[in-house]
Amino acid sequence: MRAEVEIFLSEKKHAPASRLTEPRWWLKLAYPIDTFTVLNLLNISMQGTEKTHLFVSEKLKVFKAKLRSWKGTIERGKTASFPLLNLFQEDEDVTLVDEQSVIVEHLEKLSEKFDRYIPDEELHEKYKWGRRPFDVHVEHLSEEESSIPNLQEELIEVQHDETVTGSVLDYCEGETSPWK
């Protein structure tokens, strides 16, 4: 649609129409489009009545890790993590050099902003029994967790349920195991 928009704005003698022919302007536009697309997908993935605090905090932790990765990728001059930016850069054969520091700075600031949304590591660690019941020793549950009716007993049952642990071990030891 880029060509159609250029033609339309040029015919209407719209002032910004001349910018549409500048590859640098399109490069600057591609990054925010990619960023808003990812943020929108993150937002949608965290909505709904079935989403727990642990689920949302894990989504945010993953996103922060991606931000760090993207920052490193951009610092190396690579754009593969940003589909539209990457496509435009390849199609127009323009370099990222001028915009690189602006993008890196934006990713750093975005990461800082997300810091305030991610709960304390202690809180995440405190409720890890909900995600990884096999990694938790029942005797190490906090007083608050120990007061949850039947929590200790249910964790013990899950940890010793051979239909769960047995099927995992059978798979790992079986002929189709990827670990053999």
Side-chain angles (χ1 to χ4, degrees):
M1 281 186 51
R2 190 170 99 192
E4 289 83 2
V5 171
E6 284 180 38
I7 293 168
F8 174 78
L9 292 176
S10 294
E11 287 175 356
K12 299 294 181 185
K13 298 188 182 354
H14 199 272
S18 63
R19 299 190 89 188
L20 296 176
T21 59
E22 299 172 16
R24 289 264 163 242
W25 187 83
W26 284 103
L27 192 68
K28 289 179 183 180
L29 183 63
Y31 167 73
I33 291 171
D34 283 334
T35 305
F36 285 123
T37 300
V38 170
L39 287 170
N40 187 43
L41 292 172
L42 174 66
N43 182 24
I44 290 169
S45 74
M46 294 188 304
Q47 295 179 22
T49 57
E50 301 296 316
K51 307 301 186 216
T52 65
H53 174 75
L54 284 176
F55 176 85
V56 170
S57 68
E58 285 178 2
K59 283 281 190 183
L60 292 172
K61 285 175 85 170
V62 166
F63 184 73
K64 274 211 54 176
K66 287 181 181 181
L67 286 173
R68 287 190 301 275
S69 173
W70 295 337
K71 179 182 168 255
T73 302
I74 292 295
E75 286 174 332
R76 290 188 302 279
K78 306 295 181 191
T79 58
S81 301
F82 300 91
L84 189 60
L85 180 62
N86 190 47
L87 180 67
F88 182 78
Q89 188 179 10
E90 288 175 358
D91 287 351
E92 295 295 325
D93 195 33
V94 290
T95 62
L96 193 64
V97 175
D98 295 336
E99 287 74 28
Q100 192 171 2
S101 62
V102 173
I103 293 172
V104 167
E105 183 180 343
H106 177 259
L107 290 170
E108 287 172 352
K109 287 182 179 180
L110 193 57
S111 183
E112 290 169 11
K113 293 288 183 185
F114 269 85
D115 278 339
R116 68 180 193 187
Y117 293 108
I118 297 177
D120 291 38
E121 193 63 35
E122 288 178 26
L123 183 63
H124 192 74
E125 189 66 23
K126 180 179 176 181
Y127 295 110
K128 81 175 186 178
W129 57 263
R131 282 281 192 211
R132 292 182 237 118
F134 298 105
D135 293 347
V136 177
H137 296 285
V138 175
E139 57 275 2
H140 294 137
L141 291 174
S142 70
E143 188 175 319
E144 178 187 348
E145 293 165 329
S146 296
S147 66
I148 298 173
N150 302 322
L151 175 64
Q152 290 176 319
E153 291 81 8
E154 288 181 23
L155 272 173
I156 291 170
E157 286 179 26
V158 167
Q159 290 173 341
H160 292 87
D161 184 345
E162 290 193 28
T163 60
V164 176
T165 56
S167 62
V168 171
L169 291 175
D170 289 344
Y171 177 76
C172 292
E173 294 172 358
E175 291 180 25
T176 60
S177 173
W179 294 285
K180 285 203 166 219

